[in-house]
Amino acid sequence: MQHHRQSAIARAIRGVLLTLVGLFFLFPIFWVVLMSFQTNADILRTPPSLFFTPTLDNYVALITGQLDTAVGSLKISYMRNLWNSLVLSSASVALSLLLGIPAAYAFARYRFRLGENIAFTLLSFRFAPPLLVLLPLLLYFQDLGLYDTYIGLVWVYQLITLPLILWIVRGYFEDISPDIEHAYRVDGHGWLATFLKIAVPLARPGIAAAALLAFIFAWNNFVFALILGSSDVQPVTVGALAFITASGIQYGQIAAGLVLSMLPTLVLALLAQRYLVEGLSLGAVKG
Amino acid sequence: MAGLELDNVTKIYRMRGKEPVLAVDRLDMAVGDGEIVGLLGSSGCGKTSTLRMIAGFEDATAGTIRLGERAIDRLPPARRNIAMAFEGYALYPPLRVRENIGFALLRGRHPRGEVERRVGQVAEMLEITDILDRYPPTISSGQQQRTSLARALIRDADLHLLDEPMSQLEPQLRAILRARIKDWLTGRRMTTVFVTHDQTEAVALADRIAVMEQGVLQQFGTPAELRDRPANLFVAGFIGEPPMNLYPAEIVADGGGPAIAVQSAAGAAAFRVPLPPADAAPALHERLTPGQQVHFGIRPHKVRLGTGDLSGTVLSNRWLGDQSHIGIDIGGCLLTAVTPDPVPGGADGTIAVDLPAAAINLFDAEDGRALFHGLQEAGP
Ligand SMILES: Nc1ncnc2c1ncn2[C@@H]1O[C@H](COP(=O)(O)OP(=O)(O)OP(=O)(O)O)[C@@H](O)[C@H]1O
Ligand SMILES: [Mg+2]
């Protein structure tokens, strides 16, 4: 009885703490969502207030691309940036999956000369300050005609996404007993079929997690596109700079832009969650 | 179904920065078509490595492997037509037990009805009918092991490899399944190599047993051969329960005629066993010279009590329900005897002991090779 009551109290305390932590982390997002429905004047009022007349002006401005400020009207390409973000992040993750999953499998299953060194070098790209390589890269890109192209950016984005996918998925492959693959091979299948039908499906939760994480990292990247592209290919992170105008910072539009730019990652996270939770359950080796 | 031939097969594991491991050392072994062979040996002696080379997951460092008419050591596992039950089960987690077992047959374009029937049959034999619709992570390890065994036994492969197929089962079930699996294998004339730590299992299931130690094949023969004609000291001590009585000894030829002078563990002279005169056993006297150091061995079951010239002190006398185990001290040597009947008398009594000449084994003291079994010259 004593024990039971204690655990009830513990549960209550845990609930309160979780709510507090949740509030703490979600508050900025909540505030940003509120801001996105306010005019700049409402936002800058002191003290700030929860009561205001909601307006959709910020969203309208973003979607139509017309930004009306005190000193006049100016064009912004926010929707274009959003599209660029989507293209760059998806293409980068897709390419990294294509290259990274087989590579992760090779690193997990085979010991070869310099294997560990290669894997670590790839990981070390994550520690290096990107600006170090970006300026020389800019010159090369201009020579090669890769400056200001999707292909060029997707290529450098591999510095972000490939190591992540490689290292996370490798760990998942290492956790799969090689004998499961051996069992499939004695049943009369080649290594390629074994890789596609056994290893990849069993590592699917890891692949989903890695892809999601890589997508978020790619989505949040700023400097690569700032230096290696123009507004034609730049993502929202760079595009948001346009809200710092001559007549001041457009907080309302920034907030609305943030809300819009959070949506794709949010949707993706919700979709991937299913695979993350699915774990090693149904349907992976069918057929 | 086909015969398997291993010729000079060697496996050396090389890992960077570590000493190479010689896991299998020049293994020669021929398994007949439809024969059941047990690989017996202590942990780490290279049994699994041998199976993995046969199945093709590991390249042999040297040697050739033939299955039937084909040299298979260069073929990928898929083309060797071998079925295997793994030491770690290796079931497909997302598939039901039923689907795991029938997997290879279904992919092999067998009609669904036939697969169902055969899955049912093998599941019944292994007592897993009730879990056919469960998923591997939700069943016990003993059930997983039988599922993995079923997945191998259902196939019509040229060769079946079973790595410790019953290690997780309780003794009663193991005894029942042993007999059923033996029937299953012989009824279908399946060529089989299985690995086990358990002598009883090896003897019950195998036509012939290969004893391995430290990567080296010690002896390959029928259970009776291993028992009666162990090729060396290792096999003599390894096979049999309780193990063979083994003592250091010296050949002497003094006053009382030629004899084996058996020494106690402390090195003192314990007792003597006379040898037949030279004209009665010329081979014996040709191979054995006075002063030669040997090992003397006799199986506990062959020791006769209550008769004979030797006399010892009873240290322990236990009736196990179907046999007696008696520990006897003869001049400092501890001798174990097993008799089918209870032996009267408790500890500290004196008892007459007979070590029949026909049951005596002699081994070379230096390399441990068998010299004589029952005073008949040991084979090569
Ligand atoms: N992949 C490997 N890399 C390096 N050494 C290995 C590898 N696999 C096995 N060995 C070594 O080779 C030797 C034989 O191993 P193996 O697995 O064949 O033994 P085993 O007879 O099957 O043992 P057990 O009865 O414990 O299963 C051992 O010393 C082991 O440590
Ligand atoms: Mg083993």
Side-chain angles (χ1 to χ4, degrees):
Chain A
M1 204 58 220
Q2 180 71 15
H3 179 80
H4 202 78
R5 192 168 337 129
Q6 262 181 358
S7 79
I9 292 168
R11 243 198 324 254
I13 291 175
R14 194 153 11 131
V16 169
L17 287 177
L18 280 177
T19 315
L20 282 177
V21 171
L23 275 179
F24 181 77
F25 282 109
L26 287 178
F27 180 75
I29 294 177
F30 169 72
W31 199 248
V32 164
V33 172
L34 282 188
M35 271 166 71
S36 73
F37 293 105
Q38 288 171 304
T39 61
N40 234 13
D42 280 333
I43 293 169
L44 295 175
R45 190 168 53 205
T46 39
S49 159
L50 275 177
F51 304 99
F52 58 90
T53 347
T55 164
L56 283 175
D57 284 354
N58 294 325
Y59 289 97
V60 171
L62 289 182
I63 290 164
T64 58
Q66 279 297 327
L67 188 57
D68 296 310
T69 67
V71 292
S73 168
L74 95 131
K75 280 220 163 301
I76 49 163
S77 45
Y78 188 80
M79 292 318 277
R80 171 86 199 175
N81 293 146
L82 197 59
W83 171 247
N84 289 340
S85 274
L86 266 177
V87 170
L88 289 174
S89 303
S90 324
S92 301
V93 170
L95 181 62
S96 286
L97 287 175
L98 213 62
L99 299 174
I101 294 175
Y105 184 72
F107 283 125
R109 280 286 179 268
Y110 304 99
R111 299 275 160 264
F112 41 89
R113 252 158 59 86
L114 296 182
E116 244 9 80
N117 297 342
I118 296 171
F120 189 76
T121 306
L122 279 167
L123 184 68
S124 71
F125 294 156
R126 299 285 311 133
F127 322 140
L131 278 172
L132 214 63
V133 288
L134 275 178
L135 295 177
L137 211 54
L138 174 63
L139 301 178
Y140 285 123
F141 266 40
Q142 281 168 336
D143 279 352
L144 293 170
L146 288 173
Y147 175 78
D148 199 17
T149 60
Y150 284 139
I151 294 181
L153 280 179
V154 166
W155 193 346
V156 287
Y157 269 43
Q158 296 310 305
L159 288 176
I160 313 170
T161 51
L162 190 57
L164 265 178
I165 286 179
L166 185 74
W167 277 81
I168 296 178
V169 175
R170 174 189 182 174
Y172 275 80
F173 279 138
E174 278 170 352
D175 284 348
I176 302 172
S177 154
D179 278 345
I180 295 188
E181 294 172 27
H182 292 151
Y184 193 71
R185 297 190 67 181
V186 288
D187 279 353
H189 304 88
W191 67 265
L192 186 63
T194 310
F195 170 67
L196 294 174
K197 292 270 173 63
I198 303 287
V200 170
L202 289 179
R204 198 160 65 180
I207 294 173
L212 178 65
L213 212 60
F215 187 90
I216 292 171
F217 273 86
W219 188 270
N220 289 343
N221 182 265
F222 175 75
V223 281
F224 286 168
L226 178 72
I227 292 174
L228 298 177
S230 74
S231 70
D232 284 347
V233 297
Q234 278 169 344
V236 281
T237 43
V238 184
L241 286 179
F243 300 121
I244 304 172
T245 66
S247 65
I249 300 173
Q250 305 299 314
Y251 289 107
Q253 274 104 7
I254 291 181
L258 265 176
V259 171
L260 285 183
S261 75
M262 273 187 312
L263 287 179
T265 6
L266 202 64
V267 170
L268 206 68
L270 290 177
L271 283 179
Q273 197 181 23
R274 225 192 72 220
Y275 292 103
L276 298 181
V277 176
E278 186 181 63
L280 292 174
S281 60
L282 297 155
V285 200
K286 289 253 163 86
Chain B
M1 271 133 272
L4 171 74
E5 216 173 296
L6 303 183
D7 185 10
N8 199 32
V9 170
T10 299
K11 179 72 206 178
I12 301 174
Y13 291 104
R14 293 178 205 282
M15 290 161 295
R16 218 159 11 114
K18 295 200 193 101
E19 284 284 298
V21 179
L22 177 59
V24 179
D25 190 5
R26 286 164 292 169
L27 175 60
D28 290 318
M29 198 164 101
V31 180
D33 186 4
E35 192 178 17
I36 305 172
V37 165
L39 271 184
L40 185 61
S42 47
S43 186
C45 71
K47 306 181 294 292
T48 300
S49 301
T50 305
L51 291 199
R52 295 168 73 83
M53 284 188 285
I54 299 172
F57 311 136
E58 233 29 283
D59 289 331
T61 313
T64 52
I65 305 172
R66 302 183 63 82
L67 184 55
E69 298 300 301
R70 307 176 292 148
I72 57 166
D73 40 294
R74 297 271 168 264
L75 295 179
R79 300 205 8 235
R80 298 192 180 193
N81 197 20
I82 288 173
M84 179 157 177
F86 291 83
E87 199 173 356
Y89 326 137
L91 301 173
Y92 308 125
L95 297 189
R96 291 174 199 279
V97 167
R98 177 192 301 285
E99 297 163 321
N100 261 287
I101 298 174
F103 193 79
L105 293 190
L106 277 176
R107 315 272 352 247
R109 315 263 174 269
H110 288 260
R112 207 158 254 288
E114 185 203 329
V115 176
E116 275 303 300
R117 186 181 56 75
R118 286 172 64 174
V119 169
Q121 200 181 5
V122 73
E124 193 174 333
M125 192 265 288
L126 294 173
E127 312 253 333
I128 46 175
T129 310
D130 50 332
I131 53 158
L132 279 178
D133 287 310
R134 305 258 295 273
Y135 289 95
T138 70
I139 59 179
S140 76
S141 57
Q143 292 168 328
Q144 290 184 25
Q145 186 163 50
R146 280 177 281 160
T147 305
S148 137
L149 184 56
R151 185 173 64 174
L153 290 182
I154 198 173
R155 285 190 49 199
D156 317 295
D158 284 341
L159 174 66
H160 287 75
L161 302 175
L162 314 175
D163 200 345
E164 302 190 21
M166 289 184 271
S167 55
Q168 288 294 319
L169 308 182
E170 72 271 14
Q172 294 88 331
L173 185 59
R174 212 185 290 189
I176 298 170
L177 292 192
R178 233 180 250 147
R180 291 193 193 163
I181 292 170
K182 173 109 186 174
D183 286 348
W184 181 279
L185 294 174
T186 46
R188 290 164 177 73
R189 280 188 57 76
M190 290 172 158
T191 312
T192 307
V193 177
F194 71 96
V195 163
T196 181
H197 288 283
D198 180 352
Q199 291 184 35
T200 331
E201 184 172 307
V203 170
L205 210 49
D207 298 323
R208 281 194 293 165
I209 297 173
V211 179
M212 285 181 81
E213 177 61 11
Q214 306 219 314
V216 179
L217 180 63
Q218 304 288 329
Q219 188 171 4
F220 183 32
T222 63
E225 278 167 355
L226 297 188
R227 189 187 59 228
D228 298 335
R229 308 180 61 79
N232 57 34
L233 263 181
F234 176 81
V235 178
F238 189 72
I239 300 284
E241 181 55 41
M244 185 184 275
N245 296 295
L246 286 166
Y247 316 101
E250 187 184 341
I251 305 299
V252 292
D254 48 16
I260 310 164
V262 176
Q263 294 150 11
S264 71
F271 59 91
R272 286 189 174 201
V273 179
L275 286 173
D279 46 343
L284 200 63
H285 289 269
E286 219 165 278
R287 291 282 302 275
L288 298 177
T289 48
Q292 187 178 347
Q293 300 295 321
V294 293
H295 273 87
F296 172 95
I298 186 161
R299 295 228 175 262
H301 296 83
K302 303 280 185 169
V303 175
R304 287 208 302 250
L305 299 178
T307 148
D309 303 334
L310 297 170
S311 136
T313 314
V314 176
L315 297 176
S316 63
N317 183 353
R318 280 177 302 146
W319 172 245
L320 302 183
D322 55 351
Q323 49 178 250
S324 270
H325 284 199
I326 299 110
I328 303 161
D329 181 347
I330 312 182
C333 279
L334 178 62
L335 180 89
T336 308
V338 173
T339 61
D341 302 308
V343 173
D348 295 333
T350 310
I351 195 164
V353 178
D354 180 26
L355 307 177
I360 290 173
N361 298 277
L362 292 178
F363 302 91
D364 192 296
E366 263 162 39
D367 60 11
R369 240 175 332 164
L371 299 171
F372 291 92
H373 300 296
L375 301 188
Q376 301 294 308
E377 201 161 355

